[in-house]
Amino acid sequence: MSKFLELEAGYLVIGLLIMLITLFVGSRPMFKKGAAPRALLVVGFILAIFIALHHNVTTSRMAEVKQAFSEGKDVICESRATRKVAQSVTVNINKEWTLNGDVFASPNYSRVFHTARCILPIGRVKN
């Protein structure tokens, strides 16, 4: 559950805002009585599906990244520190990178990278 909250906290907040907007709009006088609860059910169901799908896609990609890293393959991680040049960092077990839980770290690099922000290079993705 903690991994779900860690990965999806931003989307849960956005979903809450969407639910509040749905409640506000659904409770306006131009809609029939009882429209707000039905709208909340429909929107909540759709949001739950999208958030669950996002979680499943993210965790499966994280598993693929961890497996590729343990096999000595390159992994590309997003670097948010620099937006102009070198927006990605190549992580490899042979270049002194370690995997601690879901986080890549290296003594030669000042930042750590969460596996949720990493991908496999094109052409090395499993089919």
Side-chain angles (χ1 to χ4, degrees):
M1 184 66 168
S2 66
K3 183 182 277 191
F4 177 79
L5 291 176
E6 177 185 352
L7 295 173
E8 304 301 325
Y11 295 109
L12 291 173
V13 170
I14 292 169
L16 179 63
L17 289 173
I18 291 171
M19 295 292 283
L20 290 173
I21 292 167
T22 303
L23 179 63
F24 177 76
V25 172
S27 63
R28 297 297 93 201
M30 62 186 160
F31 292 105
K32 293 181 188 177
K33 284 199 179 256
R38 281 182 278 168
L40 286 174
L41 279 173
V42 171
V43 171
F45 182 72
I46 292 169
L47 287 173
I49 289 172
F50 285 150
I51 290 171
L53 284 173
H54 182 266
H55 180 71
N56 287 338
V57 168
T58 302
T59 52
S60 66
R61 187 181 68 243
M62 288 169 59
E64 288 176 6
V65 163
K66 287 179 182 181
Q67 181 181 356
F69 179 78
S70 66
E71 294 171 358
K73 297 178 182 174
D74 287 342
V75 174
I76 299 173
C77 294
E78 176 186 20
S79 176
R80 293 185 173 183
T82 308
R83 285 290 190 188
K84 294 182 180 179
V85 180
Q87 290 185 351
S88 62
V89 173
T90 303
V91 174
N92 190 306
I93 197 167
N94 301 323
K95 296 179 184 174
E96 298 183 12
W97 284 90
T98 58
L99 180 62
N100 303 323
D102 290 328
V103 177
F104 291 117
S106 172
N108 301 325
Y109 202 79
S110 61
R111 294 194 65 234
V112 296
F113 296 97
H114 197 283
T115 53
R117 296 281 172 227
C118 300
I119 60 171
L120 298 177
I122 295 175
R124 297 187 187 173
V125 179
K126 292 181 186 177
N127 289 333

